């Protein structure tokens, strides 16, 4: 496993840490595979009851690595690390907790829709900047977010892609609870410890019952993936990502509506 994804198992809890703090934990292909491997290990290890996903340093994750997006555009419907990651988090059978310690961009926010419990530091910030990147939502978020908050509020988040704070994330339902940043790790550890004392079969089956919509989720991921993959290879995304690294605003005026 890459040291860009760290795992530690203690007292029935596996902590998976995205560990690329200098790049705000932007997720590379190797990191997607690292997380997939960790989740497979956690699912198979009968001593692991709960998994906590978090980020090193001050960020949760800046989302997909934008260099990878350009150099190795993933095939979201084929055998790519990204599609393996989306399948793994959306079907993970044990309890998955996210400890959002900082900025959560793109897939950093949409992956939360597949976690069972989400705790955020008061300093955490969330965004779904897909349109600004010339892209569409992924991780079945185009299905799950409107189902959670209705079309209008979802449209506001997805169309403008503006950053929102932890209190608003809790209001909207992305987050269970917001705690002071310094208390996040301890708060999540206490919640995870409570779960380890409960019946593992009851936890697994309760989650399974709540996730009975999984076939629709997989179908939407496929649909999103086809569009996302096509856009990723097009000129509007090239303009958007070029602009990010050149530290300027993208110019979409050259493209026909
Ligand atoms: N892919 C690749 N590199 C990234 C990245 C990403 N998604 N996000 C951040 N980085 C890199 C920056 O290029 C920078 O690298 P450098 O130090 O070599 O210049 C470093 O990480 C730190 O980022 P910086 O932008 O300086 O930090 P910040 O605190 O000012 O802002 C973010 C943090 C996350 C708000 C900002 O980096 C950002 O918007 N990133 C892009 C997020 C994105 O669009 N993700 C894809 C979603 S689908």
């Amino acid at each position: 496993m890459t040291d860009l994804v760290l795992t530690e198992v203690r007292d029935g809890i596996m902590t998976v840490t995205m560990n690329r703090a200098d790049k705000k934990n932007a997720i590379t292909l190797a990191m997607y595979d690292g997380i997939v491997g960790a989740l497979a290990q956690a699912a198979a290890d009968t001593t692991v009851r709960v998994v906590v996903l978090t980020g090193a340093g001050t960020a949760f994750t800046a989302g997909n690595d934008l260099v990878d997006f350009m150099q190795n555009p993933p095939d979201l419907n084929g055998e790519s690390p990204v599609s393996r990651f989306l399948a793994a988090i959306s079907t993970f059978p044990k309890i998955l907790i996210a400890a959002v310690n900082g900025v959560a961009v793109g897939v950093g926010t949409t992956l939360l829709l597949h976690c069972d419990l989400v705790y955020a530091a008061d300093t955490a910030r969330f965004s779904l900047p897909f349109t600004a990147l010339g892209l569409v939502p992924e991780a079945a978020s185009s299905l799950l977010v409107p189902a959670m908050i209705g079309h209008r509020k979802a449209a506001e988040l997805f169309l403008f892609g503006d950053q929102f704070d932890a209190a608003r994330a809790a209001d909207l339902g992305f987050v269970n609870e917001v705690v002071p940043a310094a208390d996040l790790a301890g708060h999540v550890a206490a919640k995870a410890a409570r779960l380890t004392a409960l019946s593992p079969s009851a936890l697994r089956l309760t989650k399974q019952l709540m996730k009975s919509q999984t076939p629709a989720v997989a179908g939407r991921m496929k649909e999103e993936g086809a569009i996302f993959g096509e856009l990723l290879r097009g000129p509007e995304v090239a303009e958007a990502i070029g602009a990010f690294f050149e530290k300027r605003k993208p110019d979409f005026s050259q493209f026909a509506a």
Side-chain angles (χ1 to χ4, degrees):
M1 184 156 304
T2 163
D3 62 0
L4 294 174
V5 175
L6 304 176
T7 60
E8 184 195 37
V9 179
R10 193 185 298 164
D11 299 331
I13 301 161
M14 176 187 279
T15 303
V16 180
T17 305
M18 296 174 278
N19 185 36
R20 196 183 176 217
D22 60 325
K23 298 289 182 190
K24 305 288 171 187
N25 303 319
I27 312 175
T28 60
L29 296 179
M31 289 168 72
Y32 282 117
D33 269 342
I35 300 169
V36 170
L39 292 178
Q41 186 193 327
D45 183 339
T46 54
T47 70
V48 172
R49 289 162 188 259
V50 177
V51 171
V52 175
L53 178 64
T54 195
T58 56
F60 181 62
T61 170
N64 202 105
D65 185 276
L66 291 173
V67 177
D68 262 3
F69 257 170
M70 290 314 290
Q71 292 177 355
N72 306 297
D75 176 358
L76 295 185
N77 286 333
E79 259 307 295
S80 74
V82 183
S83 56
R84 281 196 289 275
F85 167 79
L86 294 178
I89 50 161
S90 60
T91 61
F92 184 61
K94 295 182 180 177
I95 304 303
L96 182 56
I97 303 181
V100 186
N101 53 306
V103 71
V105 186
V107 74
T109 291
T110 59
L111 73 80
L112 303 176
L113 300 164
H114 301 283
C115 294
D116 302 298
L117 297 163
V118 179
Y119 300 100
D122 53 0
T123 51
R125 297 288 180 271
F126 303 77
S127 64
L128 300 162
F130 299 108
T131 56
L133 288 165
L135 288 167
V136 292
E138 34 67 314
S141 59
S142 66
L143 177 73
L144 297 172
V145 175
M148 183 169 77
I149 59 176
H151 179 83
R152 230 81 46 214
K153 285 182 180 168
E156 196 170 25
L157 296 184
F158 281 129
L159 299 182
F160 294 115
D162 291 338
Q163 198 177 69
F164 49 101
D165 67 12
R168 178 138 168 83
D171 255 12
L172 293 170
F174 286 90
V175 163
N176 289 89
E177 225 178 316
V178 180
V179 298
D183 300 344
L184 181 66
H187 188 78
V188 170
K191 293 284 184 187
R194 275 188 64 192
L195 291 167
T196 63
L198 295 169
S199 151
S201 302
L203 291 177
R204 179 173 48 79
L205 292 166
T206 299
K207 172 167 179 167
Q208 192 177 303
L209 286 163
M210 288 195 296
K211 292 259 178 175
S212 58
Q213 294 305 312
T214 300
V217 164
R220 180 58 61 93
M221 282 181 181
K222 216 168 176 244
E223 212 178 321
E224 290 170 343
I227 302 169
F228 198 100
E230 201 177 312
L231 290 172
L232 209 46
R233 290 162 177 79
E236 296 180 43
V237 172
E239 166 59 18
I241 295 182
F244 174 74
F245 286 113
E246 289 160 22
K247 300 189 192 301
R248 61 172 174 83
K249 279 197 180 311
D251 173 15
F252 293 118
S253 67
Q254 54 187 306
F255 303 110

